């Protein structure tokens, strides 16, 4: 039965917690790549080694946390660049419709429109008709995640719509394997960390999917992680409105770090940059700290001086670490992360500046809503 075989590979990017996929027919040697990372060399190599011909490159949605490699890859291999027909991008693409099937050798990639995280988000069912007319796998983008669902609050999503979309996915048979767009990172708020699951397991044990509709919606509207590093520049790049592929953190340079006690002895020319969200900053920040949310960093890079010592602070450490690494990547020499962050400052009994009438922020800090390592000395 050599004529019905499939090739399937999942690529995991530890830096942003993203998963991408290559699916191919071993019969026709045609391949599709879904949600490619900006490092497209890994796919080129595999296509060459396996002698696959790239037919489709599909982005499940406009990503806000990483720059997509889809356009670059499609152009290089003469493949069709595909997104849902409603995708708000400035470049040409093949617009996919709900229930449409893309032939890939003997395989069929059936498109399901599953908005909620973003309005144009699609899931992709993989069907191998010589074996079964039933799907064996579903690639869910940021709709259904392992133990979680994609957050609806940035990029024009909608919690009620997400409820309908994941309910639709849960009507698939138990055995269908689920391959999400993320296994870590800020696109959800409680991902399990495993890179795949099944419909049956999620229907039974995903904590959000056991909620009734009103509770599901209010939970998604509750506490959220901060917006991703450089989100504004990344989203604009993926829409074709900007060309800021440089805004991706692609290296892990070692960074200098100090504890909060160092904040007492900062020189007059030093800048203390608070990279949390405005609502967190307003609720309480270290005196003299200036707010520049990490999501806006690349867009507002000119505001960060290159000729003065810059200290980066967040709530604990993850955002300041990533920001410092990014500034190092951009050639900033005098940049240091403040370990322990505003939480350590507050805990040590020091005064924080609070803007009057500001309530508790929705944004919550958790190490687990960030991808990648937590130490400043991560080499490479
Ligand atoms: Fe996403």
């Amino acid at each position: 039965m050599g004529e019905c075989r499939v090739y399937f590979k999942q690529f995991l990017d530890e830096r942003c917690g993203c998963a991408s996929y290559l699916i191919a027919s071993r019969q026709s040697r045609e391949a599709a790549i879904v949600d490619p990372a900006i490092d497209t060399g890994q796919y080129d190599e595999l296509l060459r080694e396996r002698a696959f011909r790239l037919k489709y490159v599909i982005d499940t949605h406009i990503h806000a946390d990483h720059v997509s490699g889809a356009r670059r890859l499609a152009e290089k291999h003469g493949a069709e660049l595909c997104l849902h027909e409603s995708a708000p991008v400035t470049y040409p693409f093949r617009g996919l419709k709900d229930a449409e099937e893309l032939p890939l050798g003997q395989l069929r990639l059936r498109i399901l429109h599953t908005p909620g995280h973003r309005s144009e988000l699609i899931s992709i069912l993989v069907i191998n008709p010589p074996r079964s007319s039933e799907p064996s796998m579903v690639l869910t983008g940021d709709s259904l995640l392992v133990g979680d669902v994609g957050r609806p609050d940035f990029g024009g999503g909608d919690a009620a719509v997400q409820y309908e979309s994941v309910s639709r996915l849960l009507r698939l048979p138990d055995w269908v394997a689920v391959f999400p767009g993320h296994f870590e990172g800020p696109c959800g708020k409680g991902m399990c960390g495993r890179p795949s699951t099944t419909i049956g397991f999620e229907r039974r044990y995903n904590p959000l999917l056991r909620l009734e509709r009103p509770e599901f919606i209010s939970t998604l509207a509750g506490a959220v992680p901060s917006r991703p590093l450089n989100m504004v520049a990344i989203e604009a790049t993926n829409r074709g409105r900007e060309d800021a592929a440089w805004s991706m953190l692609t290296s892990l340079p070692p960074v200098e770090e100090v504890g909060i006690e160092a904040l007492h002895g900062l020189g007059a020319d030093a800048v203390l940059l608070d990279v949390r969200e405005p609502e967190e900053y307003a609720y309480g920040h270290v005196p003299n700290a200036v707010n520049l949310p990490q999501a806006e960093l690349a867009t507002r890079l000119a505001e960060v001086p290159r000729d003065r010592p810059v200290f980066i602070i967040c709530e604990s450490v993850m955002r300041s670490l990533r920001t410092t690494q990014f500034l190092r990547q951009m050639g900033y020499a005098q940049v240091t992360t403040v370990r322990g962050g505003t939480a350590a400052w507050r805990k040590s009994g020091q005064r924080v500046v609070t803007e009057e009438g500001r309530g508790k922020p929705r944004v919550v800090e958790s190490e687990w809503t960030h991808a990648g390592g937590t130490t400043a000395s991560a080499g490479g």
Side-chain angles (χ1 to χ4, degrees):
M1 290 293 286
E3 73 281 0
C4 65
R5 290 189 303 153
V6 181
Y7 178 88
F8 181 77
K9 169 127 180 158
Q10 182 184 43
F11 299 81
L12 301 176
D13 186 334
E14 289 293 329
R15 288 191 200 114
C16 61
C18 307
S20 55
Y21 299 91
L22 188 149
I23 308 150
S25 160
R26 294 183 192 244
Q27 176 190 345
S28 71
R29 309 211 79 80
E30 292 168 309
I33 293 179
V34 178
D35 287 337
I38 191 71
D39 169 20
T40 50
Q42 56 189 331
Y43 314 111
D44 293 335
E45 201 180 308
L46 186 61
L47 291 166
R48 192 173 52 244
E49 276 174 8
R50 296 269 173 171
F52 289 142
R53 187 176 67 76
L54 187 58
K55 190 173 181 192
Y56 310 109
V57 181
I58 308 170
D59 260 336
T60 55
H61 61 295
I62 313 295
H63 301 285
D65 65 325
H66 66 280
V67 175
S68 167
R71 273 177 287 168
R72 182 192 285 183
L73 204 55
E75 196 175 323
K76 181 165 180 192
H77 294 269
E80 267 191 299
L81 174 63
C82 307
L83 287 141
H84 185 255
E85 59 181 351
S86 68
V89 299
T90 61
Y91 45 85
F93 66 100
R94 172 170 172 179
L96 302 175
K97 291 182 165 47
D98 186 66
E100 179 172 357
E101 291 193 351
L102 298 176
L104 189 71
Q106 86 280 16
L107 304 174
R108 297 289 174 268
L109 305 181
R110 186 182 298 157
I111 306 304
L112 291 183
H113 186 209
T114 48
H117 172 66
R118 287 189 57 106
S119 59
E120 76 279 3
L121 193 139
I122 53 169
S123 297
I124 303 164
L125 288 169
V126 181
I127 304 163
N128 188 6
R131 286 194 66 191
S132 169
S133 58
E134 297 274 12
S136 57
M137 301 189 268
V138 61
L139 276 52
T140 54
D142 294 352
S143 55
L144 177 58
L145 302 170
V146 186
D148 199 2
V149 303
R151 62 189 281 188
D153 61 295
F154 59 62
D158 184 311
V161 173
Q162 183 70 301
Y163 184 81
E164 301 308 326
S165 289
V166 291
S167 301
R168 183 180 180 198
L169 289 169
L170 292 188
R171 289 196 285 274
L172 290 167
D174 268 3
W175 66 74
V176 175
V178 174
F179 290 92
H182 280 93
F183 58 98
E184 273 189 324
C187 283
K189 54 182 179 178
M191 274 175 259
C192 166
R194 274 169 53 202
S196 69
T197 181
T198 61
I199 289 291
F201 189 82
E202 293 305 311
R203 195 189 297 120
R204 284 170 186 77
Y205 301 116
N206 183 312
L208 288 168
L209 306 182
R210 300 177 77 186
L211 300 175
E212 294 299 324
R213 190 173 186 274
E215 287 76 44
F216 176 93
I217 292 168
S218 61
T219 303
L220 288 199
V224 286
S226 65
R227 292 172 299 159
L229 176 68
N230 295 333
M231 182 186 110
V232 177
I234 288 172
E235 207 247 3
T237 300
N238 286 334
R239 290 180 66 172
R241 295 179 155 204
E242 269 183 45
D243 186 9
W246 54 267
S247 61
M248 267 299 280
L249 177 64
T250 50
S251 59
L252 292 174
V255 300
E256 299 279 317
E257 57 179 61
V258 293
I260 49 157
E261 59 288 345
L263 298 181
H264 296 292
L266 294 187
D269 63 337
V271 177
L272 179 60
L273 212 58
D274 186 331
V275 294
R276 295 175 304 158
E277 297 290 359
E279 60 187 286
E280 297 173 274
Y281 177 82
Y283 188 64
H285 60 263
V286 173
N288 298 323
V290 179
N291 190 213
L292 201 176
Q294 66 164 8
E296 298 165 27
L297 180 67
T299 320
R300 296 170 53 187
L301 199 61
E303 295 174 35
V304 186
R306 286 180 180 269
D307 55 353
R308 293 164 64 181
V310 181
F311 291 82
I312 311 293
I313 193 165
C314 66
E315 181 62 19
S316 54
V317 70
M318 288 301 287
R319 284 177 278 176
S320 61
L321 176 60
R322 292 284 174 268
T323 301
T324 308
Q325 286 173 328
F326 178 71
L327 291 173
R328 295 279 299 149
Q329 180 176 298
M330 295 307 292
Y332 281 74
Q334 304 182 71
V335 53
T336 305
T337 195
V338 181
R339 199 155 188 98
T342 312
W345 178 267
R346 218 184 281 119
K347 204 169 162 201
S348 71
Q350 320 260 0
R351 186 177 76 88
V352 290
V353 179
T354 302
E355 286 175 24
E356 230 167 286
R358 289 306 190 124
K360 217 171 163 26
R362 262 183 82 207
V363 178
V364 289
E365 178 74 317
S366 159
E367 181 190 320
W368 308 115
T369 54
H370 299 270
T374 59
T375 58
S377 53

